[in-house]
Amino acid sequence: MAEIIVIGAGPAGASAALFLAKAGKETLVLDSNASMTKRAWIENHYGAKDISGPDLLKIGREQAEKFGAKFIEEKVTVIDTNGGSKVTVKTESGRSYEASHIILATGAITELANATGIELKEGREPRIKTVIATDGNGRTNIPRIWAAGTVAGVSVHTIITAGDGAKVAIELISELNGERYVDHDVLK
């Protein structure tokens, strides 16, 4: 059983996984390999002169794996909250994975959230009609299920979704640790 499962490995999901793993949380990322970032060319990402979406995804994954996050290519089809003590996800291949918490970072896709009974609301971005309603820190209406990135109603721009993934991870880590979590490295 992982401590946290992140569903989606785009900028929001991989960024959340990076912060979670670096904080010592056992992190599993399940990704269907359908990120819209795979088709992007990015010239407005702070700290990168220009980068292809596939390269951004590759680097983000490598950063999270460096700290112990595990990535599996699986499409999640069912989320079961098991009465609140843990969360089980089932995949298209028939596998099941358990965790204490889930972060949904599924980009523009809300079908899984809808099927799980997570509250949705109207999206603000062009072509993003529906998003997950959160409390502003990433919590959904269902305990133990969080949401980050475009699916949680933030801008589709990769730098913003990545930042939101980090923010939601920080909120979750803080809740698990019982105190505000800060991750600031200094030059060596």
Side-chain angles (χ1 to χ4, degrees):
M1 180 169 117
E3 196 165 358
I4 298 123
I5 293 175
V6 179
I7 301 172
S15 183
L18 170 60
F19 274 79
L20 292 164
K22 192 165 183 270
K25 306 302 180 189
E26 186 180 347
T27 305
L28 174 63
V29 182
L30 300 174
D31 183 58
S32 65
N33 198 24
S35 174
M36 65 179 120
T37 304
K38 287 174 34 176
R39 300 180 307 273
W41 178 255
I42 303 155
E43 294 186 8
N44 62 351
H45 207 296
Y46 180 80
K49 291 182 183 183
D50 51 43
I51 190 168
S52 72
D55 285 343
L56 182 72
L57 294 172
K58 179 180 180 281
I59 291 167
R61 178 178 174 156
E62 289 169 353
Q63 287 176 306
E65 287 175 330
K66 172 184 170 184
F67 294 104
K70 292 180 177 55
F71 286 71
I72 299 175
E73 191 171 317
E74 288 265 24
K75 181 177 181 180
V76 175
T77 55
V78 174
I79 298 173
D80 184 353
T81 58
N82 301 304
S85 63
K86 62 184 175 178
V87 183
T88 302
V89 299
K90 296 178 183 172
T91 66
E92 210 168 51
S93 71
R95 291 188 180 119
S96 293
Y97 302 91
E98 290 183 347
S100 297
H101 293 269
I102 301 286
I103 296 177
L104 288 167
T106 54
I109 302 169
T110 58
E111 286 82 7
L112 182 60
N114 189 41
T116 305
I118 295 170
E119 182 183 345
L120 303 176
K121 65 180 186 178
E122 186 176 331
R124 299 180 343 174
E125 292 286 301
R127 298 179 303 278
I128 308 293
K129 302 294 182 215
T130 307
V131 297
I132 295 172
T134 71
D135 67 356
N137 290 322
R139 290 178 196 84
T140 71
N141 64 303
I142 298 180
R144 300 183 180 277
I145 300 179
W146 303 66
T150 301
V151 77
V154 302
S155 173
V156 297
H157 295 90
T158 59
I159 195 162
I160 296 171
T161 62
D164 194 58
K167 177 194 82 172
V168 171
I170 294 292
E171 296 299 333
L172 177 51
I173 295 163
S174 296
E175 184 173 297
L176 292 172
N177 291 352
E179 62 184 10
R180 188 70 183 162
Y181 177 76
V182 177
D183 180 359
H184 289 280
D185 295 323
V186 296
L187 290 173
K188 296 178 182 177

